Amino acid sequence: MRAKTIFIIIFTVLITVFLMINTDKVQFDFIFGAAEVSKLLVIGVCTFIGFILGYMAGRPKVTISTYDKEGPLETPEEPKKSISDEDRDYIN
């Protein structure tokens, strides 16, 4: 097995053991009130949200290349129109 796989397994086991130890209810203050919630639920939800946010922050960004465009390609300007008369005289 790869080191990354072993790390994920160990981390998952540690989180599971930690969650199972902390099952008692605590007073939890929300923005608009308070409630008695299990530590298991609070820690589990926070861990899950952390994994989701970490995945979203770490995933590769989507890049759009010119090959992704649909439709006719723009025709490039003719080279004679893009240079000045002075430059054209120098070249000739």
Side-chain angles (χ1 to χ4, degrees), residues 1-87:
M1 279 198 279
R2 296 188 336 219
K4 184 177 180 181
T5 307
I6 294 170
F7 175 75
I8 290 172
I9 291 170
I10 292 172
F11 189 68
T12 305
V13 168
L14 288 175
I15 287 177
T16 304
V17 169
F18 182 73
L19 289 174
M20 292 301 127
I21 291 171
N22 294 299
T23 57
D24 51 333
K25 292 192 180 245
V26 292
Q27 184 72 24
F28 192 75
D29 294 325
F30 295 100
I31 295 173
F32 298 109
E36 291 229 355
V37 181
S38 172
K39 283 184 191 177
L40 171 75
L41 183 65
V42 173
I43 296 171
V45 168
C46 290
T47 303
F48 180 72
I49 290 172
F51 279 129
I52 298 297
L53 292 176
Y55 173 76
M56 290 172 58
R59 68 178 178 202
K61 293 184 172 62
V62 176
T63 56
I64 299 174
S65 68
T66 56
Y67 297 111
D68 295 336
K69 292 182 181 178
E70 293 182 9
L73 297 173
E74 297 178 14
T75 56
E77 287 187 19
E78 294 179 22
K80 293 181 181 178
K81 292 182 180 177
S82 63
I83 61 176
S84 66
D85 292 332
E86 187 177 294
D87 290 339

